[in-house]
Amino acid sequence: MSKLRADVSIELLNQRGTEYLPGFLGIQMVELAANSLRSRMPVQKLHFAPNNFLHAASVVALADTTCGYATIAHLPDGAESFTTIELKSNHLGTVKEGSIVCHATPQHLGKSTQVWDAVVSDEASGRKIALFRCTQMILWPKGGRG
């Protein structure tokens, strides 16, 4: 089972996404611990669909980014990186203002794959707005596992 890597910090994770989609969307990692990563995203007009509801892709981006960064923080020693091989989301509600938050926790931390669950909620009320699960394939250097 993987453990939290000492060389990964909240600052490193937030810096990593600055010029990429997470930075553009305003996604911020806020709390990293063993088997847990919490994030938040202040809701802006760019997060909405033309029907004026929070776009499902915005919610998925928050959950997927949080689970992906959690995977980075829990990579087995010697692993190079990861890639998402499956994801699923159930959308339960929306928000119109404020921020949404995400809490990612692992269900499986293996040497070949990791499975992460995430709950996305309205920061103000704590009401769940989405449930998310993804499977990550661990990438090893050519020549085998460390």
Side-chain angles (χ1 to χ4, degrees):
M1 208 167 194
S2 295
K3 60 183 179 196
L4 185 62
R5 296 175 60 104
D7 61 340
V8 177
S9 67
I10 289 290
E11 295 78 22
L12 177 76
L13 295 173
N14 283 325
Q15 180 184 12
R16 181 182 189 101
T18 302
E19 294 184 13
Y20 297 94
L21 184 66
F24 179 73
L25 294 177
I27 295 172
Q28 308 155 349
M29 299 302 117
V30 295
E31 183 182 335
L32 174 63
N35 300 316
S36 176
L37 182 59
R38 294 180 186 270
S39 63
R40 72 186 298 270
M41 183 173 73
V43 174
Q44 304 170 51
K45 186 172 182 171
L46 67 94
H47 297 116
F48 288 85
N51 65 1
N52 290 316
F53 288 108
L54 194 58
H55 199 295
S58 295
V59 176
V60 169
L62 174 63
D64 190 49
T65 299
T66 306
C67 290
Y69 286 8
T71 301
I72 292 166
H74 291 82
L75 283 174
D77 289 338
E80 279 189 337
S81 191
F82 76 98
T83 190
T84 303
I85 56 176
E86 183 178 36
L87 58 82
K88 176 193 184 319
S89 61
N90 293 101
H91 298 265
L92 311 171
T94 193
V95 300
K96 297 281 188 153
E97 61 186 13
S99 294
I100 57 176
V101 294
C102 180
H103 183 205
T105 56
Q107 298 305 308
H108 168 71
L109 294 175
K111 290 188 176 189
S112 300
T113 60
Q114 293 187 7
V115 178
W116 287 85
D117 283 345
V119 176
V120 179
S121 306
D122 176 3
E123 186 175 50
S125 69
R127 181 177 49 91
K128 291 178 188 174
I129 64 167
L131 305 175
F132 178 88
R133 174 171 276 192
C134 63
T135 303
Q136 316 286 27
M137 181 173 63
I138 306 304
L139 302 177
W140 294 90
K142 289 190 179 202
R145 296 180 185 157

